[in-house]
Amino acid sequence: MYGKLGDMRSGLTLVLPIAFIAVMIVAGKLAIDRSVGAVIEANAERKALNWAGYLSETMPDLAELIRTGQPDADQQAVIETAAGIADVFRFKLFDAEARMVLISDRLGVPLEAGARTDHNGHARLVLDTGQSKIDVQDGTQKQNRPDLYVEAYVPVRSQGGQAIGVVEVYLDQTPVAYLFRSNFVFLAAALAVVVLASFGVPFLAYVFKMRQQVKTGEKVRQLSSRDQLTGLHNRTTFFQNVEEARRAGRLDLRKAAVIFIDLDNFKTINDTFGHKAGDEFLRHVGNTISSRLEEGDLAARFGGDEFIFVSAARTMPQIEALIEDLREAVSVPVRTDGIALTGHLSLGVHFDDGEALSLKDRMHKADIALYQAKLTGRNTWVLYTPDLEEKIARRRFVEECIVAGFAKNRFEVHYQPLIEQGTSEVVGFEALLRLKDADGNFIPPTEFIPVAEDAGEISRIGTWVLEEAVRTAATWPEPLSVSVNLSAKQFEDGRLLETVAQALDREGLAPKRLELEVTENILIEQEDKVTDQLQALSGMGVSLAMDDFGTGYSSLGYLWRYAFDKIKVDRSFIISLANRDEKSRHVLDTIIELGHRLEMSVTIEGVETEAQADALNGLSCDHFQGFYFGGPMPAGDLAPFVADRLALPKVLARLPDPDREIASR
């Protein structure tokens, strides 16, 4: 018995030092990793703040660059120099609304569609708190990235200290990590030897410490694999889980449905009720998704308000039932701090067991379906079909053309003549927007204008059209006028009156020679914002016209509520005139009489044939407009048009060449 005890003691004598050394090594490694991580973050923050300060001091007119995202030659030179300072290999610039405006290594390349309207969550947080945000990233599995780098979101401040934007700085920290890790390893090894030789720390104490560290490390790994807000897996872990399940035979992508989930108007919840309420709603969505997972299913939060759900083995009817269940459950109001939060989902689904596609390809197709769901009004779901690919590709192509429109000078203003009935003379022109693609082909306005509205660009475009039309009209002889269509977005910020006044004053055009056209939809949707602005424009002397009259439900009510000078009768009224439809003729005659009794002039739009023109001659309208009299044309073609087609030598003699006049200005 005593012999056995001696053997045990002898064994322990050998094991204890070895175990102790092992414990010291493991503990030292954990400590080194934590220490190096802390040093890297502190070092990166210091460098990023210094670099952001350098950018603010050296960049000419930084505020304008943040506003437009279009650097001039001097600014571009500073960008090229700054991208190589302090281990910075890339940076992005966000404006004061947390919208991305510039990527340093993609100068001259249009930003992705919608980039200027999407709000970056990290940038928003930095703007709200005034504190930098540092994220350490592993770049070993990424192309064109260092092995270890940092993404640092740092506020950009004006000379007065106000945050005017955010810069996301990419810093190469590989050399720093290597330097500190090497020094810490040497220090830890030396310390372990000294402690072991001098103090002989009891083995059990180190075993206990080791167990605590293991538990802590396991908790850290678990937290790093999960989205801390919703409890779902994060993006990185999702891909790892899918690959593991596929290799183990637990997941067959050919039988799986990939579902992309996006919260509708989540930004409104954040902006209206605060980020705490937004987080609570995200938890609600995460819990809803988690509770619907079955064996083999996988789900993750990809960031922001984006989620993904992989249904492993459901049939299409079961997938439809799942989607409707998710939508119904999420739409149930969530109460937090006395507030009832309500939201909805848009979903895109890819499910096709006939294709051997990779997860990436299936996700791409589900994303296309989600994009279509958003376009069709949100709060719905769309199943991917092959025709969607071409449809969405075309829309994204149009979006790219819109984004590049100003930078590449692809926007143009064409002018369609307005003809006086009694004299057949040209009395003015309507300014109409045109957009070319990279090959010089025109994209129909009916296609690109709705896309521009969705992309948040229509207000900027509308301002440019107004200024361009006023500048061109200022070169025409009196009394030729120009009419410009207004969009609802141009009334939202309350700056329309200022924009019109500045354009008229700058070009010296009399207000009475400018006509602004609005549709009934604008009056219905924006009545509170529109009323005062229309009255102010009328008081300024600008002419107001109701466009597309007769297509809405309450046009008559708006005629005397607003100070319109003209009504433009929609083209749909004259289609049947050539067939001598007496009812159509009576309706038109009544509209014209009504307009005249209200002291308004009347324009008939859409006159395309001689028969229509002859039918209209018997009516007492004031002006005609349509392809029969002349289609939209560039400013440079207006003088030849007046000369060749309408033979008005008096007007021609006074009509200057727009290109020459604009150049002289």
Side-chain angles (χ1 to χ4, degrees):
M1 179 176 179
Y2 290 108
K4 291 181 179 179
L5 287 173
D7 290 341
M8 291 176 63
R9 289 172 180 172
S10 178
L12 285 174
T13 302
L14 294 173
V15 169
L16 286 175
I18 297 173
F20 181 76
I21 292 173
V23 170
M24 290 294 294
I25 292 174
V26 174
K29 183 178 185 304
L30 290 174
I32 289 170
D33 289 342
R34 287 196 296 269
S35 299
V36 171
V39 169
I40 287 173
E41 288 192 12
N43 180 67
E45 183 171 15
R46 177 180 57 80
K47 286 185 177 180
L49 287 172
N50 290 339
W51 185 89
Y54 164 80
L55 185 69
S56 299
E57 293 172 1
T58 58
M59 180 65 70
D61 202 0
L62 178 58
E64 180 67 11
L65 176 60
I66 291 176
R67 188 185 72 81
T68 65
Q70 300 293 332
D72 58 28
D74 292 338
Q75 291 170 334
Q76 188 163 341
V78 172
I79 290 172
E80 293 172 355
T81 301
I85 294 177
D87 302 325
V88 174
F89 62 92
R90 188 187 198 218
F91 69 91
K92 298 178 182 178
L93 203 57
F94 300 85
D95 63 16
E97 298 298 327
R99 297 173 298 201
M100 183 166 61
V101 298
L102 182 144
I103 303 176
S104 64
D105 55 1
R106 291 178 63 82
L107 297 179
V109 179
L111 296 177
E112 295 179 2
R116 292 184 63 90
T117 57
D118 289 341
H119 300 256
N120 183 282
H122 293 325
R124 181 72 273 166
L125 181 63
V126 171
L127 287 167
D128 291 342
T129 64
Q131 301 297 318
S132 303
K133 188 179 188 310
I134 310 297
D135 287 325
V136 180
Q137 303 286 343
D138 182 1
T140 55
Q141 302 298 322
K142 301 178 182 179
Q143 294 183 352
N144 301 322
R145 291 287 187 274
D147 290 346
L148 187 71
Y149 67 97
V150 164
E151 294 180 19
Y153 290 80
V154 181
V156 177
R157 302 188 183 278
S158 65
Q159 295 295 329
Q162 181 182 4
I164 59 174
V166 174
V167 61
E168 181 186 2
V169 186
Y170 290 71
L171 292 160
D172 183 2
Q173 293 293 281
T174 307
V176 175
Y178 176 78
L179 175 63
F180 282 98
R181 197 179 301 277
S182 299
N183 290 336
F184 276 126
V185 167
F186 176 81
L187 180 60
L191 183 60
V193 172
V194 171
V195 172
L196 180 62
S198 304
F199 303 101
V201 181
F203 173 68
L204 291 179
Y206 280 94
V207 169
F208 176 77
K209 185 177 180 180
M210 184 62 184
R211 286 178 178 175
Q212 291 297 108
Q213 290 173 336
V214 169
K215 290 180 180 179
T216 302
E218 185 63 30
K219 185 177 181 180
V220 169
R221 284 191 292 274
Q222 184 177 2
L223 289 174
S224 66
S225 68
R226 295 277 180 177
D227 173 57
Q228 298 181 32
L229 190 61
T230 64
L232 295 171
H233 287 292
N234 58 31
R235 179 190 292 263
T236 301
T237 310
F238 169 77
F239 287 111
Q240 293 173 351
N241 290 343
V242 169
E243 186 60 22
E244 291 173 3
R246 191 185 64 79
R247 289 181 178 178
R250 300 192 304 271
L251 178 64
D252 185 351
L253 289 176
R254 291 174 298 179
K255 299 178 181 179
V258 176
I259 307 172
F260 262 127
I261 304 171
D262 189 85
L263 275 62
D264 295 337
N265 301 317
F266 177 66
K267 181 180 179 295
T268 302
I269 294 178
N270 270 336
D271 291 348
T272 304
F273 304 109
H275 290 285
K276 181 181 177 182
D279 289 348
E280 188 62 34
F281 194 79
L282 287 173
R283 275 191 285 269
H284 167 58
V285 176
N287 292 336
T288 301
I289 294 174
S290 298
S291 64
R292 270 70 177 174
L293 291 173
E294 297 181 354
E295 184 178 357
D297 292 345
L298 295 166
R301 180 188 176 202
F302 266 24
D305 58 353
E306 298 177 349
F307 298 82
I308 190 168
F309 191 119
V310 174
S311 171
R314 290 179 178 85
T315 63
M316 193 61 220
Q318 291 172 329
I319 292 169
E320 293 181 13
L322 168 66
I323 291 172
E324 293 304 327
D325 187 25
L326 287 170
R327 293 180 60 218
E328 182 178 354
V330 168
S331 64
V332 173
V334 178
R335 290 200 169 271
T336 176
D337 294 335
I339 302 170
L341 303 175
T342 304
H344 303 285
L345 300 179
S346 293
L347 305 95
V349 184
H350 177 265
F351 181 64
D352 190 342
D353 57 5
E355 291 186 277
L357 297 175
S358 66
L359 174 64
K360 181 179 178 181
D361 290 335
R362 293 175 186 274
M363 288 175 59
H364 171 69
K365 295 180 185 298
D367 188 38
I368 288 175
L370 173 62
Y371 190 83
Q372 181 63 28
K374 292 179 180 180
L375 292 180
T376 53
R378 303 177 185 270
N379 191 21
T380 187
W381 68 280
V382 171
L383 177 67
Y384 172 84
T385 54
D387 63 298
L388 279 182
E389 194 109 32
E390 182 177 350
K391 183 178 180 180
I392 298 302
R394 173 63 183 180
R395 182 181 176 93
R396 286 178 172 167
F397 168 76
V398 173
E399 287 178 341
E400 291 171 0
C401 291
I402 291 171
V403 172
F406 288 109
K408 304 295 184 181
N409 295 320
R410 294 179 186 171
F411 283 118
E412 296 181 4
V413 178
H414 287 193
Y415 300 87
Q416 187 172 29
L418 187 68
I419 307 300
E420 189 173 55
Q421 182 187 24
T423 63
S424 295
E425 290 187 355
V426 178
V427 294
F429 296 89
E430 179 178 0
L432 299 169
L433 179 64
R434 295 294 182 262
L435 173 64
K436 289 181 178 179
D437 60 22
D439 296 326
N441 301 313
F442 283 106
I443 301 173
T446 53
E447 181 179 12
F448 77 79
I449 289 180
V451 177
E453 290 176 343
D454 292 341
E457 293 286 340
I458 196 65
S459 181
R460 179 187 178 197
I461 294 172
T463 298
W464 178 82
V465 172
L466 174 66
E467 293 174 344
E468 184 70 17
V470 170
R471 180 165 54 249
T472 301
T475 68
W476 301 341
E478 295 189 14
L480 290 180
S481 63
V482 64
S483 61
V484 180
N485 293 279
L486 297 178
S487 71
K489 293 290 184 182
Q490 289 176 269
F491 287 92
E492 288 187 354
D493 61 8
R495 298 180 58 186
L496 178 61
L497 184 66
E498 177 185 356
T499 300
V500 172
Q502 288 179 351
L504 293 173
D505 183 63
R506 181 171 54 248
E507 305 302 332
L509 185 71
K512 65 181 181 180
R513 296 179 59 194
L514 173 63
E515 180 177 273
L516 298 177
E517 301 182 14
V518 297
T519 63
E520 184 183 358
N521 287 337
I522 294 177
L523 302 177
I524 294 174
E525 296 171 4
Q526 303 279 344
E527 183 170 0
D528 293 340
K529 297 179 180 179
V530 167
T531 302
D532 292 341
Q533 294 182 70
L534 286 181
Q535 290 175 351
L537 289 168
S538 179
M540 185 191 298
V542 172
S543 177
L544 301 178
M546 176 181 280
D547 197 14
D548 299 334
F549 180 81
T551 58
Y553 295 101
S554 51
S555 294
L556 292 177
Y558 287 117
L559 282 181
W560 58 74
R561 190 180 309 176
Y562 299 97
F564 286 110
D565 302 285
K566 176 189 288 188
I567 55 177
K568 300 188 73 173
V569 182
D570 186 73
R571 66 185 67 239
S572 60
F573 282 88
I574 70 166
I575 294 176
S576 58
L577 279 182
N579 298 326
R580 301 188 181 280
D581 186 332
E582 290 300 318
K583 290 183 179 180
S584 296
R585 186 180 183 86
H586 290 326
V587 169
L588 268 177
D589 198 26
T590 301
I591 292 174
I592 295 169
E593 178 65 21
L594 172 65
H596 288 165
R597 284 185 176 272
L598 295 176
E599 298 181 350
M600 302 177 187
S601 62
V602 180
T603 297
I604 305 294
E605 296 184 289
V607 184
E608 298 183 355
T609 67
E610 184 177 1
Q612 291 173 342
D614 290 341
L616 289 171
N617 279 330
L619 301 176
S620 58
C621 62
D622 301 286
H623 305 119
F624 295 144
Q625 186 177 345
F627 281 89
Y628 177 71
F629 298 100
M633 65 195 78
D637 293 345
L638 299 184
F641 167 80
V642 173
D644 297 341
R645 301 195 179 185
L646 296 182
L648 298 176
K650 293 182 179 179
V651 175
L652 175 62
R654 294 181 291 141
L655 190 66
D657 179 67
D659 292 334
R660 184 177 64 251
E661 289 291 329
I662 292 174
S664 67
R665 300 173 74 89

